[in-house]
Every structure is written in structure tokens, then in C-alpha cells.
Amino acid sequence: MPILTALCVASSGTAQAQVTDPTLRDSFSIGDQGGSLCAVQATVRDNVIGGMFDRAWVILCRDASQPVGYVRMLRASPDQALARIERGRADSITCAADGTCTVRDSSVAWQTRVEADGNTAYTVEGFAAYGDALNLALESVRQRRVVPGVIKVATTSVGANDGFARTLAGAIDVDKALAEGYRRNHSGDYAEAAEFFETLSRRAQGDEAAADIDPTEFTLNRALQRSNLGEFGEAERLFAEAEAVPTSDPVQLRLRRNFRAIHALNQRNYDGAVELLQQPIAPLTSAVTVDGASVTLTPAIVAGVNSGSNARAVQQASDRERLTPIERAQIIDAQAVHLLGTVERLRGNGAAAKTAQLKGLTDALAVREGRVTSIVRLRSQMLGELALAEEALGDIAAADARFLDSVNALAVEYPETNALASARARYAAFLTRHGQDDKALAIYRDVVAALAGSQRSTTGMANMMAPYYRLLASRAATDATAVSDFFVASQLQVRPGVADTQAVLARELSSGSDDGARLFRQATTLNRDIERARIEDARLGQLPVSPEINALRADLKTQIDNLSFQQAETIVALNAFPQYRVVAPGKLDLVELQQVLRADEAYLKMLVVGASVYAMLIEPGGAQLWKSDISAAGLDTAVDAIRSTISIVENGRRVTYPFDAATAYKLYGQLFGPVAAKLPGVAHLIFEPDGAMLRLPINLLISADTGLAAYEQRLLDPDADPFDMRQVAWLGRTSRPSTAVSTLAFRNARQAAPSKAANQYFGLGQNLPVDGTTLPSLGTRGAAGSAIDSDCQWDIAQWARPISADELVTARNAMGGNAGTLLTGGAFTDSAVKTRTDLDDYRIIHFATHGLVTAPRPACPARPALVTSFGDGDSDGLLTFQEIFDLKINADLVILSACDTAGAASVAATREAGLSGGGNALDGLVRSFIGAGGRSVIASHWPAPDDFDATKRLIGGLFGSGQGTSVADAMWGTQLRLMDDQQTSHPYYWAGFAIIGDGGQPLLHGTTATAAAPAQEGIGRAAR
């Protein structure tokens, strides 16, 4: 049934529409705020059940991600009405002889009610758990007024905070969820697709027979997604897990072949990939055969190829029409030919590439005469590859036409998606290669505007967007518009790891039961409805113009406008929730950022795209853009060299060497040459790093050669102290840097109202060591494991080296002994933290404990977490970043001390943490704390040092600052004291802590705690 959904949210009291006749309105609300507010929305004409009728409505409730019921007013007798309804169900509802009904393949109860009024039958049907909403909706329609009443929903739980809507999805939508996962894959939303497949993997354990779907397909997709992210160990484990299940299914065998081949290509194992793609599989209609020499595929094109039609999707516009196994196999075989043709092109064999792509395209279009909507993405990619092959052969006109065909193929089925944006950007890049820069710029600007307008990112499109950044940077000196355009586009260039972390946290938000979660599910539903309506409009636009088509498109425009307005209202409401602000994409215009900068501030933003490194300095009155004088590879090398002299592990011991000052000075000039002289004079420098600089605090870069010669001389003198760096001109000596994870995040932190918590300080840490050789309790997940990764548990050694609570005591005492509470030793458990109801009563929350950001093994997924003591029940001794995200705090500042982000953090670790390329893997934990309600976070780039009481002195000095001192000034003051002390002048001792958020906010307000003595909630055994 085509429907027009709505969201109606009351702030308090009973929801009452301001009308006397709800049947004359598109929507009205029912139920009170204390229950579950629902909306009844008029639909367009009902083409499903047939027959004549007056009106139809759909019922939406805030805690459900799909309609919970339908109301109809039919010109029919009750028996006729019921018969029509039953015909329209398409076997989705099963009814027993006694009249009780359930949703097919589940135990979810479904109820139907029919009431007669003369020649009119009023009917309502829907989930029995929403019976109150069904009855209120029916009575409101019958009485032609909003009938007041309370809606009570019986919720069930399948884990965590899952509510009834999530239970429904788990019970009835396996096949649809799989199709949604593939659709997101095809549309270019890879992180969301990964989340669908992981969720399905979890469900499949208890529901493998649902919808007759082979659960190994979920695992295969998870393996491919991990491989695409460079997590080859984890991907290998997942592939092996899927392949351990024997199968003779020709579709599954082909999927395994193609996905394994892409995995090999990701690792540049070209011979292995070709061998896999050419391996014989029993043909269904015709076997795939490819002649010619071995071929290769570079990682640059993998992201595009593997997101094609690796699909079951494979559903037509109607859910009743699915591809047969033979048809699926034919499409997968066509993809194999497409892959091999792509490799031929990369090998420089344009003619062979063109031949293979034409064959692959022909084979794909032979299935149902090309009317398979689910292979549109693959067809577009094949056309794009044909264009590149023809370009390589010198046929530029033909290539131009092919690129346009590639774009147009997606415009109907995937409007306003990353897939379409990617195809358009690929065409624009082609234009830049042939001197059509102005035309390319216009296309690029449209791409950015469309993605920004639909709150999407250019994740996975870095190579295709690279010419845009190059063109803008080349024009920046004379064109202010180029600077503004670059700034907006750069915010959409979200790192894959960040996108993946946001997808994980979005899933966590969606599974919640509070108002934010309900609004988020409604926003997701509205997004889906808008996308479907736009697809239908694009399809109608391809048909010959007629009065009927015009009328349908006019109706769709009204529907889209209505949905878009409701979505805008939903987003406004959602922005009040910090959890949503963390997972939501978005951008600022240049002037919006400049308006929140203070006179003594500047925003320094980096962007690494391919081999190029760009930077911008944004001040209240102007902005500069330049391409840095160093490559991305050179930046990695320099950062590795610097970090290796700060904190590395050798033979199981952490060691520090004399600092590589020469590299730090050279790197400063290479990165920031055009503004190198200006930065030391910026009082508060907000730094948004990218690439390797995610692993290095900017304050330890050296801005001048002052003291360098003397330092270099000391390195040569065996009697001198090679760690004495007191005279070095650190950037952090004159400037007070803080770090931003994104421009929007900084603006949000700057505009956030200060905490109104009653207490100043809550310190947590010094976990209780574990006796013996086995973990005491693994709960339901295991120590950072899960039902689907049960063998990925941390070694007991992670709990054997607790951090002393001394710095917590120091911090509390620095503010006044009665200002804070401590939770340490055996009382500091993950269960205790998660179940506390007073976390929002503290302005500053301080964790002194280890942070686990790498995976237990390369084959395991990374799940950033803080080490705690073990508790009872389901305690696993870890506070994971997802659990942190669900905490309710109201803190101006969260401090994460002694968290080991180790410069050698794996790609697997940084993916989950929200970064790519290694390094500052705490980003995932930072985002979780901000989503939980923290304004800013102080986190460490390396393990906090105990030598010379450096960390204790730094933390004590931080809280010893005066009332009203900003966080940045307080940090700067205490770091200066360590810089000027010979024993702690090496950056290892003073540079590790970074302020993430708004360093301009006050650190301390007036002490409001009234306790007569400091609260201590358990120390347990001493741990050293």
C-alpha cells in the first residue's frame, strides 16, 4: 500500500489535534505522552485490496520503526470488507481455525476489527501489542474526532534495550532486512550495510530457517566488508567460518568465489584473485570462461567494484517477485567477468577490458531482458568501466557518452545516494583529465550540494573527489568561493572508520527505548519513505507525459514535500539529543564556523586525500587554503619517526628515546608553511587533524629553530642530558591547542549549555586485579567478545596491571576534599558504572584505567573499551564504547587517563575507534562519551608516564587552576611547568594529553558539593 507517513509529537499531556474532523486532515495524533504517542496518517488510494472505498490511514507509533496498523473506511458489508482485507495480505498473516492470527513465520499476534455503519464498514488491523492504538485510531475515524485515550504497549526484549519494534524486525523481516542491507551496499552506504549484515548474523543463530535464507550469506558479507576496510585477519576468519559450512548451492559457491577473489585483490594477491575468478563451478546455463593472460586489480577500484551486485537483492519492485537461483547465478557470473575486465584495463589492455565489460554487461542484461532493478548499480559500474576502457583506447567521445549512461542508469533507481554521487564524481574526474575544468567543477558542486542536502558523506569516494580538491586549492589564492567550497566538501570526506563507528553507534541508538531512540527510528522510516517516493517519481519521469502521469507525479511531489517537512521537524527535535548529534552527518558553511570563533582563536583543519595533504586556517575574519609541501606517505614516515622517540614497546618494555626534534621542526614547515609564522601567536588553536597527524599531538611540533642547535649538540655530548629540551620552541609553548573530531562537533561543543550538575568531580579507576589464569565471569558476551565472535576474548593480563588511584585522589584534593567522589578497586565494575543513576550529577568524570583499542587478535573485531573490575552476573570487566554511549551523563569534561592508544594500533582497532590509518584510536571512546552527554574530553595519545610523578603533577596542576580558567589555559599552564623542568621537558611527559572538544570552556566553577568529607566508594585490594 503506498502510504503517506507522518510524525506527530506532543511535548506533554494528551495529544489532541486541533480539528473536529480528523478524516479531513492528513494526520492526527492519538495517545498520551505517558504511553506511546502515535500518529494516524491518511494514505493515498489503496491499490492493494481493491474495491471502492472512501479513505485509508496508516498508524505509526514513536517506538516502532514501521507502521503498526491500518484503518480503512470501505463501502462494503463487514463480510465483504474482511474478504478484501484478507486478499490484500498476500499470505503475510496466518489465521487459525479459532480466528487467532499471527504474522507469518512468527508468534507475533495480529488482530483485526470490523465495525459496520450502514453501507460503510470501518476496519482496523495491526499488531495486537498495539491494540490500544488500533482501537483509538478506529474510534477516531468512526466518530470523526480525536478520541482521547492512553496507549499502553506491551514490550518484549531480545537483548540490551531492544523494544517491541526491534523484536518485530527480528521476527518477520529477515528477508527484507537482507534486501535492505544489499540496497545500502548498492547505494554506497557501506557502513550501514555492514551493520545490517552483522545484525543478521546475530539473529541467524536462533532463526536460521527464517525466510529460507542461508545464514552463511550474512557471514560472507561481513567478511567482505572487513576486507574492504583493510582488516584482512578478521576477514579471513569470517571467510573460513562461512566456508566451514559445506554447500553445493550454486549461488553460494559463486558468492564465495567472487568475494574471496575481491579479498585477494584487496591484499594485492592478483594471481590468487584471477585463479579464484577462473575456477570452474558447475554451470547453470553457461559457465564463465575468460581467455588471456593473468590480470590485476589495484585497491583504488576495489571499493567501486565490490559494491556492485554481490546481491541477493535481487528483489524486484514488488516483494512477490524474486529472482530464481539460476538468475542470481547468472548475475554473479556476469560480475566475475566484469571484475576480470576491470583488471585487464588496469593492466593496460584496453581492448581486452572493453571486450570483457561488453560480455559482462550482455550477460547481466540477459536476465529478464534487463528488467532486474537490483543490478542497476552493477550495470552502472560496467558502463563506467567501459568508458574508462574506451578512454584508454583514445575514443574520448564514446567514453563521454558511456559515463553519462552510467550516471543515468542510477538516477532513476538510486536518486540522491552515494552511488549516484560516486558515478557523477567519476564523470567529473574524467572531464578534468580532458581540460573541461569548469564543467567538472559545476558537477562536483552539485554532487556536494546533493549529499550535504541529504545529510550524506563522500565516504569511499576520495579518489573520485581528489581532482575537485586539487582544482579548488589551485584557485584558492584568487577565488574566495573556492575556499568556501573546499571547506564544505572537506566536511563530507568522512573517514571510513568514522562512518563505521557512527553506524555502530546508530544501531545502538536505534535499539534504545527513550524519546531520542524513538525519534531516530521515525527519522529512519521517513528517510526510507522519501527515498522510495523519489525513486517512483524518477521512474514516472522516464515514461511518456500524459495527464495520468502528471497527476501521479503531482501526488508524489505533495507526498515528498510532506515527508520532507516532517523529516525536518524530526531532525530539529533529534538535535536536542547528544547521542544523535554524534551519529548524525552534517556540515557548516564557512561563515557559520567563523561566527563561533573568538577574536584570539583560529581553526586549523587538515585533509588527506590520496597522496595529497591539504590544510586550512580559518579565523573570524578570513580563511586560507593551501596544499602542504609533503605527501601522505611522507607524513606517515615523519610521524612514525617522531613517535618512535616518544613511546614504543621493545622486548615487552616501553621505552623513550631522545626526541627527534629535527623531524618535528621540518614537519611543521612542510605542513603549515604559509601560516607557520602566524600559528605561534594564536592563543587558542582548534586543530582538526587527518591522516598520520591523528597520531601526533600538534603542540609538540617545533615552530622555530630556537634552541635546536644547542639540543643537537647535547645529543653528541656523552656527559650532557639528551632529554633536556627546555629551550625548544614548541608550538605548544605559546599556543593552547585543542582538538576537534569534526567542525560540526566543535560548533556543538561551543554552543552546548554548561552542565548544571550539583557535584564537581567523580573519579573512577584502579581496577581489582584478577587472580588465577582464567577470567572470573564472561557474562553473555565474554570479555569484549560476542555471540558471533565468542573466541575473541582478552587475555587475563589486561586486568593484571591496574593504574593507581593516586591521580584521582590528587585531582579531587586539588579541588577541595569535599568536591568529589571516588569509585575504585572492587567497587569499580562495569555493572556498577552502567547501573548508576547519578552519573549526571557530576561536572567532571575522570577515568584512570587502561583503554583497550586494538583487537585481542588480528582476526577479531576491535571493540574499544575501558578496563574495570569484574562484577557479578553478566559483568565482563569492560566498559565498551557502546555501553559508554548509553550512559546518561551531564559532564562539562571527561578525562581518560592512562589509555594506551599506542602508535602501532592496528587498522582493525582504528576502524572501530572511528579512524583510519592507525593512531588516535580513542576517537571511538571520545565520540561515545560525547554521545552520552559529555561536552569535552581529555584523552592521552600514549600511556601516561609515572616517572617523576609527571601525570600526577599534570593532573594536579590542571585542577589547581583558578575558578573560571578555561580548560585549554589550565592544561597549557600545567604543561609549561613540565616543559620548564629538565626532568620532564621531553614531550613524553607533557604532550600526551589532548583536549577534544571546546578548550575555551571553563574548567572549574564554584564548588557546590556539600559533603563534609570526600566520598570513597570502595578501594578493594591495593594494586601496583
Side-chain angles (χ1 to χ4, degrees):
M1 175 192 301
I3 61 172
L4 187 62
T5 57
L7 173 65
C8 188
V9 181
S11 58
S12 62
T14 301
Q16 294 284 348
Q18 301 301 311
V19 293
T20 57
D21 186 353
T23 65
L24 300 181
R25 281 178 50 88
D26 283 336
S27 65
F28 57 94
S29 15
I30 54 174
D32 69 1
Q33 187 71 9
S36 175
L37 182 66
C38 299
V40 182
Q41 174 64 52
T43 70
V44 297
R45 290 215 175 258
D46 188 341
N47 296 316
V48 176
I49 62 171
M52 295 297 295
F53 65 96
D54 291 331
R55 297 294 300 273
W57 295 260
V58 64
I59 306 170
L60 295 171
C61 292
R62 288 173 57 188
D63 61 348
S65 60
Q66 62 186 79
V68 302
Y70 305 91
V71 180
R72 299 180 180 91
M73 183 172 67
L74 305 175
R75 296 176 183 175
S77 67
D79 290 342
Q80 291 172 329
L82 185 60
R84 291 177 183 174
I85 290 172
E86 291 174 345
R87 287 199 303 270
R89 288 171 176 167
D91 300 324
S92 60
I93 304 299
T94 301
C95 295
D98 62 359
T100 61
C101 299
T102 58
V103 178
R104 187 183 60 185
D105 299 328
S106 80
S107 60
V108 177
W110 186 266
Q111 72 179 45
T112 304
R113 175 183 165 192
V114 181
E115 298 289 343
D117 185 357
N119 295 328
T120 301
Y122 294 90
T123 75
V124 66
E125 63 172 333
F127 296 111
Y130 286 86
D132 291 338
L134 303 183
N135 290 331
L136 279 177
L138 180 64
E139 288 306 314
S140 295
V141 171
R142 286 188 63 195
Q143 298 181 35
R144 302 178 72 81
R145 67 183 181 89
V146 177
V147 174
V150 176
I151 297 173
K152 296 179 180 180
V153 179
T155 60
T156 61
S157 178
V158 295
N161 293 322
D162 295 356
F164 185 75
R166 196 165 176 81
T167 305
L168 292 179
I172 66 174
D173 282 337
V174 177
D175 196 58
K176 289 182 179 179
L178 180 58
E180 283 289 333
Y182 275 122
R183 178 164 183 83
R184 278 159 175 72
N185 198 22
H186 299 336
S187 66
D189 298 319
Y190 307 128
E192 290 185 23
E195 282 304 297
F196 268 91
F197 294 127
E198 183 167 340
T199 301
L200 285 166
S201 292
R202 296 176 187 275
R203 287 177 43 190
Q205 295 178 38
D207 198 17
E208 293 184 358
D212 193 28
I213 294 175
D214 184 350
T216 61
E217 188 166 337
F218 312 147
T219 307
L220 281 174
N221 275 280
R222 289 183 63 215
L224 183 59
Q225 296 289 346
R226 299 288 75 78
S227 178
N228 293 342
L229 291 165
E231 299 166 15
F232 302 132
E234 186 184 353
E236 188 64 37
R237 176 178 64 85
L238 292 168
F239 276 121
E241 181 182 317
E243 291 161 356
V245 180
T247 184
S248 59
D249 183 285
V251 172
Q252 292 301 316
L253 289 173
R254 283 165 167 78
L255 284 176
R256 294 180 184 187
R257 175 199 63 195
N258 284 20
F259 288 12
R260 266 290 192 180
I262 294 169
H263 177 49
L265 292 167
N266 284 339
Q267 300 172 85
R268 305 192 182 193
N269 180 7
Y270 306 133
D271 291 341
V274 172
E275 182 180 351
L276 284 163
L277 287 168
Q278 293 179 331
Q279 72 181 15
I281 296 180
L284 292 171
T285 53
S286 61
V288 175
T289 58
V290 177
D291 297 327
S294 298
V295 289
T296 62
L297 182 62
T298 65
I301 55 86
V302 167
V305 197
N306 63 24
S307 63
S309 102
N310 44 6
R312 171 189 182 91
V314 277
Q315 280 194 345
Q316 302 298 298
S318 167
D319 288 335
R320 296 187 296 272
E321 184 180 5
R322 297 181 185 169
L323 294 176
T324 66
I326 290 179
E327 290 169 329
R328 288 196 68 198
Q330 289 173 326
I331 291 171
I332 298 168
D333 283 345
Q335 184 192 35
V337 178
H338 161 61
L339 289 169
L340 286 166
T342 301
V343 203
E344 288 283 10
R345 176 186 62 80
L346 293 169
R347 281 255 173 111
N349 193 344
K354 181 176 180 178
T355 298
Q357 294 298 341
L358 286 171
K359 173 175 170 47
L361 185 60
T362 299
D363 291 347
L365 294 179
V367 178
R368 299 198 183 181
E369 299 179 341
R371 295 193 302 272
V372 181
T373 58
S374 56
I375 67 164
V376 168
R377 181 75 189 278
L378 176 61
R379 189 168 79 242
S380 173
Q381 289 176 323
M382 289 175 169
L383 289 167
E385 275 297 319
L386 270 174
L388 292 171
E390 287 166 335
E391 181 186 10
L393 293 171
D395 193 346
I396 306 305
D400 192 292
R402 295 282 193 192
F403 274 122
L404 287 173
D405 288 343
S406 174
V407 170
N408 292 334
L410 290 169
V412 173
E413 188 65 22
Y414 295 100
E416 297 189 32
T417 62
N418 287 72
L420 177 58
S422 180
R424 298 186 71 197
R426 196 179 198 183
Y427 178 45
F430 161 78
L431 294 174
T432 65
R433 293 193 295 271
H434 297 281
Q436 301 185 60
D437 290 352
D438 289 340
K439 184 176 180 180
L441 280 171
I443 294 174
Y444 275 127
R445 287 189 175 108
D446 287 345
V447 166
V448 170
L451 290 175
S454 59
Q455 290 201 312
R456 295 176 180 269
S457 72
T458 54
T459 300
M461 295 168 53
N463 288 334
M464 287 167 280
M465 295 297 294
Y468 185 46
Y469 297 116
R470 175 178 53 79
L471 287 172
L472 292 176
S474 69
R475 301 183 179 199
T478 58
D479 183 359
T481 302
V483 178
S484 299
D485 289 345
F486 188 102
F487 177 69
V488 171
S490 68
Q491 295 172 72
L492 304 187
Q493 196 70 45
V494 178
R495 295 183 297 275
V498 172
D500 205 43
T501 292
Q502 289 177 319
V504 173
L505 295 179
R507 182 181 67 184
E508 193 72 15
L509 172 57
S510 181
S511 69
S513 57
D514 61 7
D515 286 349
R518 295 181 186 116
L519 284 169
F520 185 68
R521 288 194 293 269
Q522 290 253 354
T524 302
T525 300
L526 287 166
N527 270 337
R528 233 176 356 245
D529 291 339
I530 290 170
E531 180 183 4
R532 288 168 179 157
R534 284 174 173 158
I535 290 171
E536 178 63 13
D537 183 58
R539 186 190 68 80
L540 291 173
Q542 303 296 309
L543 300 177
V545 176
S546 69
E548 292 78 9
I549 294 297
N550 289 339
L552 288 172
R553 296 195 70 184
D555 286 344
L556 279 170
K557 183 181 184 304
T558 301
Q559 181 178 349
I560 293 170
D561 290 345
N562 193 347
L563 290 168
S564 298
F565 177 77
Q566 294 166 49
Q567 181 70 315
E569 287 190 325
T570 306
I571 298 302
V572 169
L574 271 171
N575 274 313
F577 297 88
Q579 282 189 318
Y580 173 74
R581 293 198 299 269
V582 166
V583 303
K587 58 84 181 174
L588 296 179
D589 291 328
L590 187 59
V591 67
E592 292 178 293
L593 174 61
Q594 290 171 319
Q595 287 171 348
V596 299
L597 291 176
R598 295 163 185 157
D600 62 345
E601 292 180 329
Y603 194 98
L604 181 61
K605 178 177 174 61
M606 286 183 60
L607 180 69
V608 176
V609 184
S612 299
V613 179
Y614 300 95
M616 299 184 72
L617 184 67
I618 302 160
E619 299 173 280
Q624 271 181 272
L625 163 65
W626 66 93
K627 183 176 182 292
S628 296
D629 188 23
I630 190 172
S631 67
L635 177 60
D636 272 315
T637 300
V639 170
D640 286 342
I642 294 171
R643 280 199 62 113
S644 69
T645 64
I646 299 174
S647 177
I648 62 171
V649 176
E650 292 182 349
N651 299 321
R653 295 179 62 249
R654 188 166 295 279
V655 296
T656 299
Y657 288 98
F659 185 70
D660 189 350
T663 300
Y665 178 46
K666 180 180 178 181
L667 180 59
Y668 177 78
Q670 289 174 315
L671 285 174
F672 310 125
V675 296
K678 179 183 290 188
L679 294 184
V682 177
H684 182 200
L685 183 66
I686 304 103
F687 179 48
E688 183 182 336
D690 199 8
M693 285 303 294
L694 291 159
R695 301 187 276 125
L696 197 72
I698 192 175
N699 55 352
L700 59 65
L701 293 183
I702 298 174
S703 61
D705 60 3
T706 306
L708 278 186
Y711 173 68
E712 296 293 340
Q713 187 61 39
R714 283 196 296 275
L715 294 180
L716 301 175
D717 185 350
D719 296 324
D721 181 1
F723 288 83
D724 183 0
M725 307 194 72
R726 285 175 291 174
Q727 304 305 315
V728 172
W730 309 109
L731 177 62
R733 183 172 286 280
T734 58
S735 184
R736 303 141 177 84
S738 59
T739 302
V741 296
S742 72
T743 311
L744 189 61
F746 167 73
R747 196 279 304 271
N748 289 340
R750 171 58 54 91
Q751 294 183 340
S755 170
K756 295 183 179 179
N759 300 302
Q760 283 278 39
Y761 179 84
F762 186 24
L764 308 91
Q766 191 172 296
N767 69 279
L768 200 65
V770 176
D771 291 328
T773 58
T774 58
L775 295 173
S777 172
L778 296 182
T780 58
R781 295 184 311 278
S786 69
I788 59 173
D789 299 305
S790 56
D791 58 344
C792 291
Q793 297 173 359
W794 285 99
D795 186 86
I796 194 173
Q798 300 297 337
W799 284 263
R801 49 189 183 95
I803 302 300
S804 170
D806 287 352
E807 69 179 77
L808 301 177
V809 175
T810 298
R812 182 194 61 189
N813 292 343
M815 290 185 292
N818 64 344
T821 299
L822 300 185
L823 184 70
T824 58
F828 171 46
T829 68
D830 54 316
S831 302
V833 176
K834 289 186 294 183
T835 56
R836 288 188 74 104
T837 59
D838 66 340
L839 289 177
D840 59 351
D841 286 340
Y842 296 93
R843 284 194 57 253
I844 298 172
I845 299 178
H846 182 179
F847 286 87
T849 187
H850 291 291
L852 305 179
V853 294
T854 57
R857 302 192 314 275
C860 297
R863 293 292 184 267
L866 298 177
V867 171
T868 70
S869 300
F870 277 86
D872 297 327
D874 288 344
S875 170
D876 59 4
L878 293 173
L879 191 63
T880 69
F881 85 127
Q882 291 157 290
E883 292 169 337
I884 291 167
F885 185 69
D886 289 329
L887 299 177
K888 303 301 181 186
I889 67 177
N890 185 18
D892 286 330
L893 183 65
V894 176
I895 302 174
L896 306 179
S897 179
C899 294
D900 184 358
T901 64
S906 67
V907 173
T910 57
R911 175 202 70 82
E912 187 74 37
L915 303 168
S916 61
N920 180 12
L922 274 180
D923 189 49
L925 292 175
V926 168
R927 290 176 187 273
S928 293
F929 274 112
I930 292 175
R935 275 65 164 180
S936 297
V937 177
I938 292 179
S940 56
H941 276 272
W942 47 77
D946 293 326
D947 301 340
F948 312 117
D949 287 332
T951 300
K952 184 176 179 180
R953 290 162 58 191
L954 190 145
I955 295 297
L958 182 69
F959 290 109
S961 59
Q963 301 289 343
T965 303
S966 72
V967 178
D969 283 345
M971 178 68 75
W972 177 67
T974 192
Q975 286 175 333
L976 276 181
R977 288 190 284 274
L978 294 178
M979 284 183 210
D980 291 335
D981 183 330
Q982 179 176 339
Q983 291 183 317
T984 57
S985 57
H986 188 289
Y988 171 58
Y989 298 103
W990 58 264
F993 285 95
I995 303 165
I996 304 166
D998 180 13
Q1001 299 287 3
L1003 175 64
L1004 298 175
H1005 299 303
T1007 302
T1008 56
T1010 57
Q1016 185 82 15
E1017 301 191 18
I1019 283 289
R1021 291 185 292 166
R1024 294 289 185 267

